[in-house]
Amino acid sequence: NSSTSTGRLTVVSGPNILTAPSGIRKCLTSSFEGGKILQVDIVAAEPKFALHFYKDNESSIPADVYKDISEKVFSDKLSRNQIKIATLCALYGQSSSKLATQLPYGMSANEVVASIKKYFGINDLYKKLEYEYMNGELTNYLGRPLNPTDKGLLISYFLQSSVAEASILMFKKFCEENKEIIPYYIIHDALIIDAPPSFLSRISDDGFLDLFFN
């Protein structure tokens, strides 16, 4: 994680799992009798981190960010996919042209994106990051120095970098607390593991696990 400006992982030896097609993962088989290869994915990692950073109150963070936005901001008038596209525009400055083609007639893409920015407190976050950037003090949440090429990348650099390192720490803690599993690969905000039956029996019916950071 030292060869990228944000701290996201790169492969320096071994199979290039980060860029391999997802079908490659089907080639992995469990070393345990009755075991399974699982992918532990952090749900909506960067949007949830943005909300954690803004709210600073774990009890107010919804399990499903996109559903929460749909209900609280748009009164369920937008689909989950529309919300996800709009969130990408709000957090990373992507063009809203694709979003505009998918919204109900008469709904402004720019207004939708502005509402989601308000939900995440993006304008306040940008002001904070811009001040640090102008003073040469910009870091991610864990203190890694950041130096984006222009101010338009402040939000995306901060979120990507913070989540990249937080994910590694959460997966490390998860592996330490579940010593029977074998970790295979980290793919950004996902962990590929080999899990024995003893672990599988502890997974809830909905497949959700709690990962902890800080």
Side-chain angles (χ1 to χ4, degrees):
N1 66 354
S2 61
S3 61
T4 57
S5 55
T6 59
R8 285 171 72 102
L9 295 175
T10 57
V11 176
V12 294
S13 65
N16 200 343
I17 193 70
L18 288 172
T19 58
S22 58
I24 291 294
R25 298 172 211 176
K26 296 178 181 178
C27 299
L28 300 175
T29 58
S30 177
S31 61
F32 300 105
E33 184 175 350
K36 284 186 178 181
I37 302 296
L38 301 179
Q39 177 165 311
V40 182
D41 237 322
I42 301 177
V43 178
E46 288 164 10
K48 288 189 81 169
F49 178 82
L51 200 57
H52 270 285
F53 190 82
Y54 176 48
K55 299 271 188 175
D56 197 27
N57 180 2
E58 188 173 334
S59 62
S60 65
I61 308 302
D64 189 331
V65 173
Y66 301 123
K67 181 180 178 182
D68 193 61
I69 293 173
S70 179
E71 293 174 351
K72 293 181 179 177
V73 182
F74 300 106
S75 302
D76 287 328
K77 293 177 182 177
L78 296 181
S79 69
R80 184 182 184 84
N81 188 56
Q82 290 167 334
I83 296 292
K84 290 180 77 170
I85 295 172
T87 300
L88 287 174
C89 296
L91 297 186
Y92 302 112
Q94 293 189 12
S95 170
S96 58
S97 57
K98 180 180 178 181
L99 174 65
T101 64
Q102 299 192 22
L103 292 177
Y105 178 76
M107 186 173 281
S108 165
N110 289 336
E111 290 180 5
V112 168
V113 172
S115 296
I116 292 181
K117 282 186 175 181
K118 184 177 180 181
Y119 174 87
F120 285 107
I122 291 302
N123 291 337
D124 290 341
L125 175 58
Y126 182 84
K127 289 177 183 178
K128 174 184 180 300
L129 298 179
E130 183 184 35
Y131 176 82
E132 294 175 355
Y133 176 76
M134 298 302 291
N135 287 277
E137 301 170 350
L138 183 65
T139 68
N140 72 7
Y141 184 75
L142 289 97
R144 173 187 287 271
L146 297 175
N147 188 28
T149 52
D150 66 70
K151 292 193 289 185
L153 298 172
L154 289 176
I155 298 291
S156 62
Y157 263 56
F158 176 76
L159 294 180
Q160 286 186 39
S161 182
S162 298
V163 168
E165 296 195 298
S167 296
I168 293 171
L169 293 175
M170 285 191 283
F171 290 145
K172 178 177 184 289
K173 185 175 180 63
F174 171 74
C175 291
E176 289 173 347
E177 294 176 346
N178 297 277
K179 294 189 181 298
E180 73 268 42
I181 67 170
I182 301 174
Y184 278 172
Y185 303 108
I186 291 177
I187 305 177
H188 301 309
D189 56 7
L191 174 69
I192 310 298
I193 65 171
D194 187 359
S198 59
F199 177 81
L200 299 174
S201 65
R202 301 204 310 272
I203 298 177
S204 61
D205 292 338
D206 60 14
F208 280 93
L209 301 166
D210 289 324
L211 299 180
F212 297 95
F213 170 63
N214 262 14

